[in-house]
Amino acid sequence: MVIVLSHTIRESDKIRLREYLEEKGFQIREIVGEENTIIGAVGIHPVDYREVELMAGVDRVIPISKPYKFASREFKKEDTVIPVGRLKIGGLRIAVIAGPCAVESREQIMESARIVKECGAVFLRGGAYKPRTSPYSFQGLGEEGLKYLKEAGESVDMPIVTEIVATEHADMMRDYVDVFQVGTRNMQNFELLKKVGSLGKPVIIKRGYAATIEEWLMAGEYLLAHGTDNVILCERGIRTFEPYTRNTLDLSAIPIIKKLSHLPIIVDPSHATGIRGKVPPMALAAIAAGADGLLIEVHPNPVKALSDGPQSLFPEQFEKLMRDIEALAPVIGKEVERLPEEVVIQTGTEAAVGDTENKVAFQGEAGAFSEMALHRFFTGEQIASVPCQSFEDVFEAVLKGSVRYGILPIENALSGSIHENYDLLLRYPDVRIVGEHTIRIVHNLIGLPDSDLSDVKSVFSHPQGLIQCKEFLDSHPDWEKIPYYDTAGSVKHVADAGKREFAAIASVEAARVFKMKILKESIETNPRNYTRFVILAREDAGEVLRPDKASIVFAAPDKPGSLFLFLKILADRDLNMKKLESRPIPGKPWEYMFYLDIELKNEQSIREAFSEAVEKMKTESDIFRILGMYRSGD
Ligand code: PEP
Ligand code: MN
């Protein structure tokens, strides 16, 4: 059963409840969610739920109808996201695990690690113990293989995944391994599951080649019941009457698991098909069907592989597959998980300049309005601004950890929201908003240092710059107006061209950076021209102190009054909505995501009302995410 605790439960009530359940022989597990805390209690002894419901501090009790309990969606509604170091598996990410079937030598695994990392995999796989059908086949290097695998993982800063085949190996393997794998042949080796579960490390449990989905979930339940919270299911094909492929890949298991369980599911198309040419299409199909990741065999020279050569990808094939996955990810609203970039920590007096700690990414050329906004937001702090080509590059830099923060324009007072950035916020689940800042946009006509207003014949600027200075430009009908990708970039263009008849529209800052002359100041039609920027950081950056604003996004179901219902949840709790923006959901015509900004007055009561509202909204929507809680810049 799932016991939802009341927000006001006292510690003493919690202890009493735990004691009561333990006395009745229940295994219990507490999950502290964003909005509420639940206790999952699993046991063979019948208990009258009403009795539990009447205990102090209990809000409600929900029975779990399935035989697998901790693994079921009934136990936990939200998708489980499994942390492994700085990486995550689950949620809106696609994690790719790659490497050879077996660790064959130190050189082979080092080379494999380098290849798969370069192509974009985030975990390194390799078997040190190989459960082979024939006793005469290569059995793996054992502990020596684990040493090489660990060294290879460390050399590229990738966590390692390897299979455990025997209970007695567990304690020895623990220090080598980041993620354990239990193979198809051992899915119902219950003693092994109990032991591996008790180690508390993440475990990939492969589906038995003759196992039903329910049996597979029960195997996951064994792991969860014995101590680990971090279980990843892996579909690797089942045995059917079809001999053309090694196994038959059951992709329908993905949506079924997604419905039945909160656990992430990955797919191994290598063992499923047994033929390398069939691996890329099935890998892409798995991602399209909703898999949270892939386990793929890649070998530096598959022809010489000691095991599973025919199904191992050549490095070039894997590189192409990774590029295809990158292209597919945004179509299904997911992000390919990436390793954070290594940060070179400098020593000595120069440290402050080269350090990630001080770097903030912005889109555009030096002197862009974004750069002005970031200097104002970080006033008084020693920071280095890092120009990026596109808004997406800003997200990438933050995600990879090559900068500490990013800044993005999100809304202009005259032209409205910058939709691309709303869409990107949704696509990057590991990046969140940690602040905001609004600046006034003052446009200037800028030319070469020796030019004059009367020289001007062509004006370059970002299309918005041209629109926002329409009145001024209309008073010069003979000028050619040429849209450019960026305001500061247009100044650079005029500077590089060296033509006196060229001018650009941009900030004072851009004129200063490129040593140009302001031909006419403040030419914007409406002086009340403001742009609001948001500051981004990685999800695992620290919490913002005393937030007074929250941004959320959700999909409202396609039924009468559904948006009204969401807004009512806020209204009923006296929560002030500051902004509502809708965006179409890619691939779902006429369905929309709604982005909301909510005022969080600092009093505890409002914060609690917000948590309560979040809990309620989550139950009403399939997609719900808090984009950030931060200090408002108003
Ligand atoms: C493996 O991943 O190396 C392996 C042996 O897989 P399976 O257990 O799915 O056959
Ligand atoms: Mn293999």
Side-chain angles (χ1 to χ4, degrees):
M1 68 187 132
V2 173
I3 304 162
V4 181
L5 305 184
S6 119
H7 286 295
T8 54
I9 188 168
R10 281 185 305 223
E11 205 42 46
S12 55
D13 293 334
K14 217 191 234 183
I15 294 169
R16 199 163 307 122
L17 175 64
R18 278 178 162 274
E19 281 172 357
Y20 170 85
L21 294 166
E22 273 160 6
E23 204 175 287
K24 295 248 177 214
F26 279 91
Q27 258 215 55
I28 55 180
R29 182 158 309 185
E30 188 170 320
I31 296 186
V32 182
E34 266 171 34
E35 329 73 35
N36 60 22
T37 301
I38 63 165
I39 286 187
V42 177
I44 47 173
H45 305 283
V47 67
D48 189 335
Y49 296 132
R50 287 169 302 179
E51 219 174 285
V52 181
E53 213 151 42
L54 286 174
M55 292 182 75
V58 173
D59 189 35
R60 59 189 189 279
V61 174
I62 308 159
I64 302 175
S65 61
K66 301 285 192 307
Y68 42 89
K69 307 289 179 187
F70 292 130
S72 76
R73 263 288 171 213
E74 290 165 87
F75 172 64
K76 187 165 172 244
K77 185 177 177 288
E78 289 134 41
D79 288 342
T80 283
V81 175
I82 299 198
V84 188
R86 292 190 74 189
L87 294 168
K88 288 187 183 138
I89 303 178
L92 292 173
R93 305 162 191 80
I94 298 168
V96 179
I97 304 165
C101 178
V103 180
E104 298 168 5
S105 67
R106 183 175 175 275
E107 293 65 40
Q108 173 252 16
I109 193 68
M110 295 293 275
E111 171 76 345
S112 304
R114 196 188 53 72
I115 292 168
V116 298
K117 166 149 186 177
E118 213 159 86
C119 297
V122 283
F123 292 88
L124 175 66
R125 66 149 284 153
Y129 296 92
K130 296 306 303 173
R132 306 301 296 276
T133 306
S134 162
Y136 309 116
S137 302
F138 177 59
Q139 303 285 309
L141 296 181
E143 190 169 353
E144 189 192 351
L146 291 175
K147 285 190 182 140
Y148 297 152
L149 182 63
K150 186 168 160 62
E151 186 188 346
E154 281 169 359
S155 75
V156 288
D157 199 20
M158 288 167 95
I160 55 171
V161 177
T162 201
E163 180 169 355
I164 178 165
V165 294
T167 314
E168 60 270 25
H169 294 163
D171 294 322
M172 175 274 290
M173 286 180 77
R174 188 198 337 225
D175 293 336
Y176 290 109
V177 177
D178 298 300
V179 180
F180 279 100
Q181 177 181 318
V182 174
T184 192
R185 296 159 187 84
N186 273 315
M187 189 203 84
Q188 284 188 320
N189 181 343
F190 299 119
E191 291 310 310
L192 182 65
L193 297 180
K194 287 183 200 169
K195 180 68 190 176
V196 179
S198 74
L199 299 179
K201 289 210 168 184
V203 188
I204 293 173
I205 173 92
K206 287 197 151 187
R207 180 176 181 183
Y209 54 76
T212 64
I213 289 174
E214 188 161 302
E215 285 163 343
W216 182 22
L217 285 168
M218 291 306 285
E221 186 74 13
Y222 259 94
L223 294 165
L224 294 168
H226 284 85
T228 184
D229 288 327
N230 299 323
V231 173
I232 301 136
L233 301 162
C234 178
E235 164 60 46
R236 47 80 68 205
I238 48 176
R239 186 157 289 181
T240 67
F241 48 79
E242 173 53 61
Y244 190 78
T245 47
R246 184 173 172 183
N247 292 282
T248 296
L249 181 55
D250 180 12
L251 286 182
S252 57
I254 301 166
I256 293 169
I257 288 288
K258 288 279 169 210
K259 186 159 169 47
L260 299 178
S261 177
H262 54 88
L263 297 173
I265 172 169
I266 62 170
V267 167
D268 170 355
S270 307
H271 292 88
T273 60
I275 312 161
R276 76 170 67 87
K278 308 288 174 278
V279 170
M282 296 321 286
L284 293 170
I287 297 301
D292 298 298
L294 295 165
L295 182 75
I296 296 183
E297 286 187 343
V298 181
H299 195 287
N301 186 358
V303 182
K304 294 240 172 83
L306 296 183
S307 67
D308 284 347
Q311 70 192 34
S312 300
L313 295 188
F314 282 95
E316 315 78 81
Q317 280 179 305
F318 182 56
E319 190 194 356
K320 161 85 168 61
L321 172 59
M322 285 305 293
R323 275 192 276 125
D324 289 347
I325 295 170
E326 286 276 356
L328 178 59
V331 179
I332 50 166
K334 283 194 177 171
E335 246 336 279
V336 179
E337 183 73 343
R338 254 156 291 215
L339 282 163
E341 243 166 41
E342 258 177 86
V343 177
V344 182
I345 306 289
Q346 302 188 0
T347 51
T349 50
E350 300 272 283
V353 185
D355 206 338
T356 297
E357 282 300 296
N358 308 308
K359 286 188 179 164
V360 187
F362 70 98
Q363 186 273 331
E365 292 284 348
F369 286 107
S370 293
E371 195 189 20
M372 281 174 64
L374 81 85
H375 282 300
R376 300 220 187 130
F377 182 81
F378 292 100
T379 306
E381 292 179 47
Q382 247 229 334
I383 52 144
S385 48
V386 179
C388 293
Q389 280 255 317
S390 66
F391 292 137
E392 197 171 342
D393 290 346
V394 174
F395 276 88
E396 289 288 325
V398 173
L399 185 66
K400 284 185 192 154
S402 57
V403 296
R404 175 113 187 250
Y405 297 107
I407 190 162
L408 286 179
I410 198 82
E411 184 178 16
N412 177 269
L414 305 179
S415 55
S417 294
I418 291 112
H419 293 134
E420 182 183 349
N421 287 337
Y422 275 96
D423 294 346
L424 285 166
L425 279 169
L426 188 67
R427 256 188 55 201
Y428 282 81
D430 291 330
V431 173
R432 70 184 155 92
I433 303 173
V434 294
E436 68 171 7
H437 193 76
T438 302
I439 63 167
R440 187 178 155 208
I441 303 294
V442 178
H443 288 301
N444 306 277
L445 189 72
I446 298 166
L448 289 178
D450 59 347
S451 67
D452 215 61
L453 198 56
S454 56
D455 294 325
V456 177
K457 290 203 173 70
S458 305
V459 180
F460 297 82
S461 193
H462 187 278
Q464 278 301 330
L466 297 173
I467 292 168
Q468 291 173 9
C469 301
K470 186 171 182 307
E471 229 165 69
F472 171 75
L473 292 173
D474 282 352
S475 64
H476 296 275
D478 49 327
W479 289 357
E480 195 187 4
K481 288 102 192 170
I482 305 166
Y484 208 71
Y485 72 95
D486 180 30
T487 54
S490 66
V491 179
K492 181 172 187 297
H493 175 66
V494 173
D496 290 347
K499 292 189 178 170
R500 290 170 55 183
E501 58 271 33
F502 280 6
I505 294 176
S507 70
V508 178
E509 196 55 23
R512 193 187 57 75
V513 168
F514 296 102
K515 301 191 171 56
M516 301 282 275
K517 181 174 165 190
I518 295 183
L519 306 179
K520 181 128 179 78
E521 242 179 317
S522 195
I523 55 169
E524 67 280 2
T525 307
N526 186 338
R528 300 186 63 180
N529 184 1
Y530 299 94
T531 295
R532 189 161 64 87
F533 292 82
V534 289
I535 320 300
L536 307 175
R538 270 182 68 97
E539 183 60 45
D540 52 13
E543 287 304 312
V544 176
L545 289 178
R546 298 189 310 281
D548 60 1
K549 191 170 179 183
S551 294
I552 59 168
V553 58
F554 60 86
D558 184 16
K559 61 181 187 200
S562 77
L563 179 60
F564 167 76
L565 200 75
F566 279 92
L567 300 186
K568 188 167 181 312
I569 292 171
L570 297 176
D572 285 350
R573 287 163 184 78
D574 206 20
L575 287 164
N576 190 18
M577 181 181 76
K578 301 290 279 185
K579 183 177 184 199
L580 174 66
E581 179 77 38
S582 77
R583 296 286 304 141
I585 302 178
K588 292 189 180 169
W590 324 125
E591 287 189 42
Y592 300 90
M593 301 295 304
F594 291 94
Y595 292 78
L596 240 74
D597 286 349
I598 299 159
E599 189 176 13
L600 292 180
K601 297 213 193 85
N602 225 354
E603 302 122 48
Q604 189 59 16
S605 61
I606 304 234
R607 300 289 302 283
E608 272 166 22
F610 176 65
S611 306
E612 221 182 86
V614 165
E615 183 194 346
K616 197 117 183 54
M617 287 192 274
K618 277 185 179 171
T619 62
E620 300 290 344
S621 173
D622 292 342
I623 307 175
F624 179 93
R625 192 146 67 83
I626 298 178
L627 296 172
M629 290 170 73
Y630 48 95
R631 298 284 303 162
S632 81
D634 306 335

